[in-house]
Amino acid sequence: MTHIVKMQGLNKHFGDLHVLKDIDLSIEPGEVVVIIGASGSGKSTLIRCVNGLEEYGSGELVVDNEPLAPKGQSQKGLAIIRKQVGMVFQQFNLFPHLTVKKNVMLAPMKVKDASQSEAEKRAMALLERVGIANQAEKYPSQLSGGQQQRVAIARALAMDPRLMLFDEPTSALDPEMIGEVLDVMRELAKEGMTMMVVTHEMGFAREVADRVIYIHEGQIVEQGKPEAVFDNPENERTQSFLARVLKH
């Protein structure tokens, strides 16, 4: 089976700080992998390396059969990868001067060379898919945080990605808005979207993940099925982390 993501011996430094340490990780098509760990453990850096937002220092990284060089990646190579990878961030990063619909239309027009009518049809279908087609003509500032994040998901899906990356997509939301974003992500998982998700939402991880990965200080310390990691963690660091987060 061809891996969507394959990392071997991946290392990343920020100056003297060794952020990722010899990461070996493969993601299969249709797999939902949830990455957990304390703040500063390297989770976000890991997935940012996957679409070239961060350059790694050494090792190997292949995304959808396209090798991603450690440094000096060609713009052509990055463009190929970013056509196949959608990413949703903590902050929504929507263009405030464009309507919701036009925010979603940008990717098909600029990346996929779609006509305006094709892009509009695609945007409306995606906004319907994430449950906010009725907000299409509003501007981001007129929407709640949960609605804005759903627009961001629709925008990422507009590129027809083979892989979706989520970097703590609910961390900037009020508690009552978290559920509506997680519901959209659950539906994507049911539809077979390959996903790498960094999150502190342990209930979501337990319910949706095919595999949970625990990262501690830049290393994969434990991974496995959600029930194994959450109910019977083998590593002491995993046990300590889960004891802290699950009691809240």
Side-chain angles (χ1 to χ4, degrees):
M1 181 181 290
T2 301
H3 302 296
I4 293 288
V5 177
K6 188 172 180 63
M7 303 177 184
Q8 289 186 300
L10 195 80
N11 285 275
K12 167 70 178 176
H13 289 79
F14 288 120
D16 294 332
L17 185 62
H18 197 174
V19 182
L20 298 176
K21 304 171 183 175
D22 294 318
I23 299 288
D24 293 330
L25 177 62
S26 297
I27 311 292
E28 308 292 349
E31 190 176 18
V32 178
V33 174
V34 174
I35 303 166
I36 64 173
S39 297
S41 60
K43 309 182 301 297
S44 294
T45 301
L46 180 68
I47 66 167
R48 287 171 67 87
C49 286
V50 173
N51 70 345
L53 286 173
E54 295 286 356
E55 290 184 338
Y56 64 98
S58 63
E60 296 181 5
L61 174 57
V62 179
V63 180
D64 201 21
N65 295 317
E66 186 72 25
L68 190 58
K71 292 186 178 178
Q73 178 75 18
S74 71
Q75 291 303 306
K76 181 180 178 181
L78 280 176
I80 291 171
I81 287 169
R82 287 177 180 165
K83 281 185 179 182
Q84 305 300 332
V85 180
M87 187 157 183
V88 179
F89 301 87
Q90 297 178 38
Q91 302 297 332
F92 322 122
N93 298 335
L94 301 174
F95 292 105
H97 63 291
L98 297 178
T99 64
V100 164
K101 180 173 68 178
K102 288 184 177 178
N103 263 281
V104 180
M105 288 172 61
L106 278 178
M109 293 178 69
K110 290 186 176 294
V111 179
K112 299 288 188 179
D113 296 321
S115 68
Q116 183 165 333
S117 61
E118 290 171 336
E120 184 172 5
K121 184 177 179 180
R122 174 74 173 146
M124 290 306 300
L126 287 168
L127 291 172
E128 183 72 38
R129 185 175 177 184
V130 300
I132 49 172
N134 60 336
Q135 309 293 330
E137 299 302 332
K138 291 186 178 180
Y139 290 88
S141 62
Q142 297 174 291
L143 272 56
S144 70
Q147 289 172 325
Q148 289 185 62
Q149 193 62 295
R150 284 188 279 164
V151 175
I153 294 172
R155 183 179 59 181
L157 291 171
M159 292 170 40
D160 294 316
R162 298 249 297 150
L163 168 68
M164 284 284 286
L165 308 176
F166 293 87
D167 185 8
E168 299 190 21
T170 61
S171 64
L173 300 179
D174 293 333
E176 65 270 20
M177 298 176 186
I178 290 173
E180 61 190 59
V181 173
L182 294 180
D183 284 345
V184 172
M185 295 170 64
R186 286 186 184 95
E187 287 303 312
L188 291 177
K190 288 179 184 176
E191 293 166 10
M193 175 63 72
T194 310
M195 296 163 62
M196 293 179 70
V197 183
V198 171
T199 186
H200 294 291
E201 300 294 334
M202 298 300 156
F204 172 83
R206 181 188 285 271
E207 176 190 351
V208 176
D210 296 303
R211 185 163 33 126
V212 173
I213 292 172
Y214 173 62
I215 292 185
H216 177 75
E217 295 182 353
Q219 293 180 299
I220 294 178
V221 171
E222 188 157 355
Q223 60 179 306
K225 295 286 186 183
E227 56 270 23
V229 174
F230 286 115
D231 297 336
N232 193 29
E234 296 179 358
N235 189 281
E236 288 184 5
R237 288 174 177 147
T238 316
Q239 294 168 7
S240 176
F241 171 76
L242 291 174
R244 291 196 309 272
V245 300
L246 294 178
K247 69 182 180 181
H248 294 294

